[in-house]
Amino acid sequence: MTEIRKQRLTVLVPVLVCVVSIIGITVFWQYEYRRAAFEHVSKFCEIIIENHPEAEEQVLSALKQYHMLAEQEVKGNQFLKQYGYRNNEFCEGVPWNFLILSVVLIFLLICGFLFTVWRLNKRNRMRIAELTSYLEQVNVGAAGTVIQTKEDEFSHLQDEMYKTVTSLYQTREAAVQAKMNFADNLANIAHQLKTPITAAFLSLQLMKNTTPNTYGEQIERQLERLNRLEESLLTLSKIDAGTLHMEFSQMDIYTALHLAAENLNDLLRKENVSVDIPDHGCIEIYGDMEWTMEALMNLMKNCMEHSKYGGTVHCDYSSNPLYAEILIWDDGEGFQAEDIPHLFERFYRGKGAAGNGIGIGLSLAHSIFELQNGNITARNLRSGGACFEIRIYAHRAVSAIPQKVAAYPSETHDFEEIMYSH
């Protein structure tokens, strides 16, 4: 027997029982009413005949005449009222036994109906919980997309859910494959660039040694820029392919900020910009020290490029039970409003871009912190200057597990959230 037939029987059986019970109660009530009426009329006639034996024929004749009366002739007769009798003075106590039985039967019917409704609701709740659990397992990436087939009112929904989940799995696999192909192509391009860049560097050195000229320095700067681009492309391809190796451990934020600033000493001295890092004690985060320094250097370098000559790049950090927060800001003019939603997009260079960057540094920093269970937002300070706000969450997310992982930087940001003042 299928599930649909079982549910139909579950509904039909109580309905049939209710109908049969109502018919039975009606028939029984009619039988009891006629029996009670017969017994009372019989006793009334018996009393008359016992007291007046000579009136036996008249009583039987009147009874026969009464028996032949139509219902319309009897209905509404109030003859005894003139002698002071009322309806409730007749047949007292006769219907109560039947009334009690009727109440019991009706109570049993109601209980049976409520029990049936409860069973149906329970079965529906269990079915919904089963489908919900299936979707939750799909959402968390549990293995397998098979769902037990059942024939009931949820069958069509179940089939559509299974089709949708299967389609989503196929789409995800296609997207992952496309992502892997993109990462492979990007890595191949980066590797292909390395050979001509290296050859160009060697040729440039030979040219400078043999025939020095003013164009050599310009060529060297462009080659160095190409070399940085090639290294950035390799790093991005590793992130996209999920092969970027990260050594996770507890690290001190103050130490990471100082090391990042030290690696930028030459550039900072050249621009006459200082870095201010207050010591708030030991606040540790869980991540990779080398890649965290790389991300912090990119953010500091961006602030340095937008600082005034002789300005300062400010840093600060704090923590709470949910996350550790790092702030890096400058005293420049701040971001252009139209640039803020796109700052962390790859190869994006805003109207206020400084230096000879290629638009990868902020995107790389964003990806690195995402791999460490964090995020970055950008905003303008009310007092002026651009500010990067980094939050690294205390709970260990999937992306914070020390293994080969992949992450894409966010393509868009909510402008209202980014512009929220700290």
Side-chain angles (χ1 to χ4, degrees):
M1 183 179 296
T2 63
E3 191 71 19
I4 294 180
R5 289 185 177 180
K6 288 181 180 180
Q7 294 191 2
R8 287 177 179 174
L9 287 177
T10 305
V11 175
L12 290 177
V13 169
V15 172
L16 291 176
V17 171
C18 288
V19 172
V20 172
S21 299
I22 292 172
I23 294 174
I25 290 174
T26 303
V27 172
F28 185 68
W29 168 260
Q30 187 179 29
Y31 169 77
E32 285 292 318
Y33 172 76
R34 289 180 176 179
R35 183 184 61 79
F38 175 78
E39 291 176 351
H40 280 259
V41 171
S42 177
K43 188 61 178 179
F44 178 73
C45 294
E46 181 183 0
I47 293 173
I48 294 177
I49 293 174
E50 286 181 354
N51 293 331
H52 303 281
E54 69 280 2
E56 180 179 356
E57 292 183 5
Q58 289 82 352
V59 171
L60 294 176
S61 176
L63 184 61
K64 185 176 181 182
Q65 184 180 357
Y66 161 77
H67 191 66
M68 294 176 63
L69 290 175
E71 180 65 25
Q72 291 79 3
E73 297 178 87
V74 177
K75 188 175 182 180
N77 189 285
Q78 302 292 326
F79 176 76
L80 293 179
K81 275 191 175 183
Q82 60 185 324
Y83 300 104
Y85 292 99
R86 298 291 181 269
N87 296 337
N88 56 4
E89 297 178 2
F90 291 84
C91 299
E92 292 183 0
V94 173
W96 287 106
N97 294 333
F98 168 73
L99 181 61
I100 294 173
L101 180 61
S102 300
V103 170
V104 172
L105 289 175
I106 293 173
F107 176 76
L108 292 177
L109 287 176
I110 293 175
C111 290
F113 178 76
L114 293 178
F115 177 75
T116 302
V117 171
W118 176 78
R119 284 292 302 274
L120 288 175
N121 288 337
K122 181 180 178 181
R123 180 173 296 177
N124 290 340
R125 287 195 302 269
M126 292 177 62
R127 193 75 170 93
I128 293 172
E130 178 184 348
L131 296 176
T132 303
S133 176
Y134 167 70
L135 288 179
E136 289 175 349
Q137 292 178 0
V138 171
N139 289 334
V140 299
T145 59
V146 179
I147 185 172
Q148 184 178 1
T149 303
K150 292 184 179 180
E151 295 295 332
D152 55 14
E153 64 268 22
F154 292 96
S155 298
H156 184 66
L157 174 61
Q158 174 182 284
D159 293 340
E160 293 302 318
M161 286 174 56
Y162 185 77
K163 291 177 184 177
T164 302
V165 169
T166 303
S167 176
L168 289 175
Y169 265 91
Q170 293 173 350
T171 303
R172 187 186 70 173
E173 291 174 358
V176 170
Q177 186 60 44
K179 177 182 173 183
M180 295 296 294
N181 293 337
F182 171 77
D184 291 341
N185 293 334
L186 193 61
N188 290 333
I189 292 172
H191 281 295
Q192 293 298 324
L193 285 173
K194 183 179 284 294
T195 300
I197 290 173
T198 303
F201 264 120
L202 293 175
S203 299
L204 178 62
Q205 292 298 325
L206 291 174
M207 184 182 69
K208 290 172 66 176
N209 293 333
T210 56
T211 56
N213 58 72
T214 58
Y215 299 104
E217 294 181 0
Q218 298 179 11
I219 297 174
E220 186 174 10
R221 284 198 299 270
Q222 296 302 320
L223 287 176
E224 289 175 352
R225 185 180 180 188
L226 281 174
N227 190 52
R228 290 197 302 272
L229 174 61
E230 182 268 337
E231 292 176 354
S232 298
L233 288 176
L234 277 177
T235 302
L236 291 175
S237 67
K238 290 179 180 179
I239 291 176
D240 290 340
T243 58
L244 183 66
H245 182 69
M246 303 186 79
E247 295 289 341
F248 283 80
S249 62
Q250 293 295 127
M251 60 179 178
D252 179 41
I253 296 178
Y254 180 78
T255 302
L257 288 170
H258 258 284
L259 291 175
E262 287 179 3
N263 286 327
L264 293 174
N265 270 338
D266 293 339
L267 287 176
L268 291 169
R269 282 196 299 267
K270 181 179 179 181
E271 299 294 332
N272 194 25
V273 174
S274 61
V275 178
D276 177 38
I277 307 174
D279 187 357
H280 295 315
C282 180
I283 297 179
E284 292 186 336
I285 57 176
Y286 190 73
D288 182 280
M289 175 62 83
E290 293 299 325
W291 284 113
T292 300
M293 286 170 49
E294 179 73 21
L296 293 174
M297 286 168 57
N298 287 332
L299 299 179
M300 289 181 182
K301 183 174 179 292
N302 186 277
C303 288
M304 178 198 70
E305 292 172 347
H306 292 82
S307 295
K308 301 175 183 178
Y309 185 81
T312 303
V313 175
H314 302 273
C315 301
D316 198 4
Y317 60 96
S318 60
S319 67
N320 58 51
L322 295 179
Y323 56 82
E325 184 177 69
I326 304 173
L327 298 178
I328 301 176
W329 72 94
D330 58 55
D331 50 9
E333 297 180 355
F335 300 114
Q336 297 290 329
E338 60 269 23
D339 291 337
I340 292 179
H342 309 286
L343 286 174
F344 300 105
E345 294 178 7
R346 294 180 182 180
F347 307 108
Y348 179 81
R349 284 177 58 81
K351 295 181 179 180
N356 58 352
I358 53 179
I360 292 181
L362 294 183
S363 173
L364 181 61
H366 188 279
S367 298
I368 289 173
F369 281 116
E370 275 194 339
L371 292 175
Q372 299 179 114
N373 196 30
N375 59 48
I376 308 177
T377 56
R379 56 187 172 87
N380 288 324
L381 299 174
R382 292 178 180 177
S383 57
C387 178
F388 293 103
E389 182 176 315
I390 307 160
R391 289 183 178 180
I392 302 176
Y393 293 89
H395 62 277
R396 304 284 178 83
V398 175
S399 59
I401 299 175
Q403 57 182 1
K404 295 179 180 179
V405 291
Y408 277 104
S410 301
E411 297 297 330
T412 58
H413 297 272
D414 182 11
F415 184 78
E416 294 294 333
E417 179 182 352
I418 293 175
M419 292 298 292
Y420 175 75
S421 178
H422 177 66

